[in-house]
Amino acid sequence: MSKPDIPAEAVILAAGMGSRLKPLTDTRPKPLVEVNGIPIIHNALEQLGAAGVRRATIVVGYRKDAIEYACGSTFAGVAIDYVASTVFDRTGSAYSLWLARNALLRGDVLLLEGDVFFESEVLQKMLRSEAVNSAAVAPFTAEMEGSAVTLADTGLIVEVRTSQTAVSLATSTSPLFKTMNLFRFGAEALTGQIVPALDELASEGATKVYTEQLLGQLIADRGLKVAAVRCDDCRWYEIDSQDDLRIAEAVFSSGRKEPRRELVGP
């Protein structure tokens, strides 16, 4: 099987309020919180640009003008489109993804949340994989919480479990892996399964669903096949709280240059 081409486009979900990071997010959106002086979203765009992605759609909401100003129309060689959510304070990430459906219908896509700080090797592992649809994962540890998956011997994701904690890890009969909020989807899955499912949610008014919940339903009930890309040895961190931020700064404390800033437009 030949390796899929590098997706030309990425979608970044960056609309949320980041309430658990207050007071840091009182005056700025979470994607602009800095890890060792580098905004989370600048790091993401830098890594995408270095990997060959040339276009990104960013879904903005809370303090959207700050993100648009900080990233402009081009950053690190990535041309940027913005889609605004006016109901960011009462909707889940699946609704933000639905707002970006036009980007999802253009072809293969890298999807990421605007709160994960990661090194280049994470994307490189995903791009080296032969899987058309994949999710970056790492072993779930007792310090983690949030969405997790279980895997088949083939490496495919069997089940998505939300709201996992150290207790979940201790009681699970299967090894748990943390989803790193980085996904890759091929055009066939996007147009045939993911976008239609998003349309269904929107038409039913199910606006508080999260992306992981949607993917879990598609995997369990509709046969979507998503491979896990193991990133056990990669540096990354999902930043939801000030404790997370301190850990991320420790993880990335050595030898990292500031991303290039190629700002064009407002």
Side-chain angles (χ1 to χ4, degrees):
M1 180 185 298
S2 61
K3 184 165 68 71
D5 293 334
I6 296 172
E9 184 149 2
V11 171
I12 304 176
L13 305 181
M17 297 181 67
S19 57
R20 291 173 58 191
L21 267 170
K22 288 181 175 292
L24 294 177
T25 51
D26 284 342
T27 58
R28 58 182 161 175
K30 181 162 66 167
L32 291 183
V33 169
E34 296 178 351
V35 175
N36 298 331
I38 303 170
I40 299 170
I41 199 166
H42 283 184
N43 175 74
L45 290 167
E46 173 73 10
Q47 305 300 359
L48 289 169
V53 176
R54 290 294 168 253
R55 183 176 183 179
T57 296
I58 305 178
V59 183
V60 292
Y62 177 66
R63 294 194 174 272
K64 66 183 183 66
D65 292 346
I67 294 178
E68 293 173 5
Y69 178 80
C71 300
S73 59
T74 304
F75 191 99
V78 181
I80 301 172
D81 299 318
Y82 297 95
V83 176
S85 172
T86 59
V87 289
F88 57 85
D89 57 339
R90 52 188 184 275
T91 53
S93 56
Y95 182 79
S96 289
L97 189 57
W98 177 73
L99 292 176
R101 60 195 179 281
N102 288 341
L104 302 180
L105 293 172
R106 285 196 285 260
D108 295 3
V109 164
L110 285 166
L111 168 65
L112 55 152
E113 302 265 1
D115 62 359
V116 59
F117 202 94
F118 58 96
E119 66 177 345
S120 60
E121 182 60 16
V122 175
L123 281 185
Q124 292 305 317
K125 281 180 175 286
M126 296 188 76
L127 296 175
R128 288 195 297 266
S129 171
E130 294 184 350
V132 177
N133 306 310
S134 61
V137 305
F140 197 99
T141 66
E143 296 77 22
M144 294 177 177
E145 58 181 35
S147 298
V149 298
T150 60
L151 308 180
D153 293 340
T154 59
L156 291 176
I157 294 174
V158 174
E159 181 186 10
V160 178
R161 302 178 184 176
T162 58
S163 303
Q164 300 296 283
T165 64
V167 173
S168 310
L169 179 65
T171 57
S172 177
T173 57
S174 301
L176 294 181
F177 294 86
K178 181 76 174 70
T179 53
M180 295 167 57
N181 292 343
L182 289 103
F183 304 91
R184 176 180 183 169
F185 294 114
E188 183 176 346
L190 288 165
T191 59
Q193 292 178 282
I194 295 174
V195 172
L198 289 168
D199 288 338
E200 287 178 24
L201 290 177
S203 66
E204 294 167 357
T207 58
K208 294 186 178 181
V209 175
Y210 287 90
T211 302
E212 294 91 339
Q213 292 174 304
L214 173 70
L215 293 177
Q217 179 185 10
L218 290 175
I219 290 168
D221 301 333
R222 304 192 186 183
L224 177 65
K225 298 187 185 307
V226 180
V229 175
R230 296 278 299 267
C231 298
D232 303 22
D233 55 347
C234 295
R235 292 189 302 172
W236 69 282
Y237 219 80
E238 178 185 359
I239 301 167
D240 287 320
S241 67
Q242 292 196 49
D243 285 342
D244 292 340
L245 181 59
R246 284 189 285 270
I247 294 171
E249 290 190 323
V251 168
F252 287 90
S253 61
S254 61
R256 200 173 188 289
K257 297 180 180 179
E258 185 175 354
R260 301 185 306 275
R261 191 170 192 270
E262 181 185 341
L263 184 59
V264 178

